[in-house]
């Protein structure tokens, strides 16, 4: 019975052919619209790749994830630039602005003035730090080309970080699904802790 079930499962090559384009689309979409947990996606893909026989699976996941994140960031920044240049703004600029708290925007602008595009790398690694820094770049009039140069190492560092989380989850458990659950739980914990801490601090201050 188990052998029949295993025969019906997609082959590893078929899983890769379907999985990599899906990963690219979802990460790019998640960079544009905050409805997709992109970090958890990359970690989960890394767990699956870790258990595959292909020695290049992890490298492909890294390339796909970082490339998709970079493309998504560029598209969002370009759309934001159109809003900044327009007299009436745009819904994309409004969406970016609504996702950046005033105090976090002020901090991002201050760090951007002090450290330049290096801040982009840290913004990708800090949960909820990408949008305030991107908005600071937009309001500061940073050209798209300059933003792109700073965003390349940011996306590479981001993809590497979440892939390492996935590799850790994959190495701790024999079954891929167990590693995926562990990686997703860890990434959600990392992304949710800062927001929870800010709410707690606001309540204590109030």
């Amino acid at each position: 019975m188990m052998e029949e079930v295993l025969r019906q499962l997609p082959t590893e090559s078929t899983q890769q052919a379907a999985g990599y384009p899906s990963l690219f689309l979802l990460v790019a979409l998640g960079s544009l619209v905050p409805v997709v947990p992109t970090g958890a996606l990359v970690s989960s893909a890394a767990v699956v790749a870790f258990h595959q026989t292909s020695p290049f699976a992890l490298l492909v996941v890294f390339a796909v994830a970082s490339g998709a994140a970079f493309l998504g960031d560029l598209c969002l920044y370009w759309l934001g630039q159109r809003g900044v240049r327009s007299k009436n703004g745009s819904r994309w600029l409004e969406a970016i602005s609504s996702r950046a708290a005033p105090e976090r925007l002020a901090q991002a602008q201050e760090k951007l003035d002090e450290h330049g595009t290096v801040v982009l790398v840290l913004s990708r690694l800090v949960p909820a730090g990408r949008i305030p820094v991107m908005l600071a770049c937009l309001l500061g009039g940073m050209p798209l080309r300059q933003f792109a140069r700073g965003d390349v190492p940011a996306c590479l560092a981001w993809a590497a970080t979440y892939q390492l989380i996935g590799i850790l989850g994959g190495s701790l458990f024999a079954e891929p699904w167990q590693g995926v659950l562990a990686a997703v739980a860890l990434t959600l914990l990392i992304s949710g802790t800062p927001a929870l801490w800010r709410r707690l601090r606001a309540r204590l201050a109030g």
Side-chain angles (χ1 to χ4, degrees):
M1 181 66 178
M2 182 59 68
E3 292 181 359
E4 293 179 0
V5 173
L6 291 175
R7 290 196 198 100
Q8 294 175 359
L9 291 175
T11 62
E12 185 174 301
S13 59
T14 302
Q15 293 175 6
Q16 293 173 356
Y20 294 144
S22 299
L23 177 64
F24 186 91
L25 291 175
L26 288 173
V27 171
L29 177 62
S31 298
L32 287 169
V33 185
V35 295
V36 180
T38 53
L41 280 173
V42 175
S43 296
S44 300
V47 172
V48 176
F50 180 82
H51 286 278
Q52 290 178 350
T53 57
S54 173
F56 302 106
L58 286 170
L59 182 60
V60 175
V61 168
F62 173 75
V64 169
S66 56
F70 179 69
L71 178 62
D73 282 356
L74 282 192
C75 290
L76 185 59
Y77 194 80
W78 178 75
L79 291 169
Q81 275 188 324
R82 293 187 62 185
V84 171
R85 294 167 183 167
S86 174
K87 293 182 180 180
N88 299 323
S90 70
R91 65 183 184 89
W92 284 103
L93 181 60
E94 292 176 2
I96 296 173
S97 302
S98 65
R99 291 159 56 189
E103 62 274 11
R104 301 207 69 184
L105 174 60
Q107 293 175 358
Q109 289 173 323
E110 181 179 350
K111 292 179 181 178
L112 187 63
D113 292 337
E114 293 178 357
H115 306 290
T117 54
V118 177
V119 180
L120 287 170
V121 178
L122 297 177
S123 73
R124 261 285 181 183
L125 299 178
V126 175
R130 180 176 69 101
I131 293 300
V133 171
M134 182 180 289
L135 182 58
C137 293
L138 286 169
L139 298 179
M142 181 180 292
L144 179 62
R145 183 175 298 180
Q146 183 180 355
F147 174 82
R149 286 199 300 267
D151 197 51
V152 168
C155 292
L156 292 175
W158 171 82
T161 299
Y162 281 98
Q163 185 163 9
L164 285 174
I165 293 175
I167 293 173
L168 176 63
S171 63
L172 291 177
F173 300 94
E175 296 294 333
W177 67 268
Q178 295 173 326
V180 168
L181 287 180
V184 169
L186 184 56
T187 53
L188 293 179
L189 178 64
I190 292 174
S191 61
T193 298
L196 182 62
W197 170 247
R198 286 195 298 270
R199 291 180 182 178
L200 180 61
R201 189 172 57 181
R203 287 185 179 181
L204 293 175

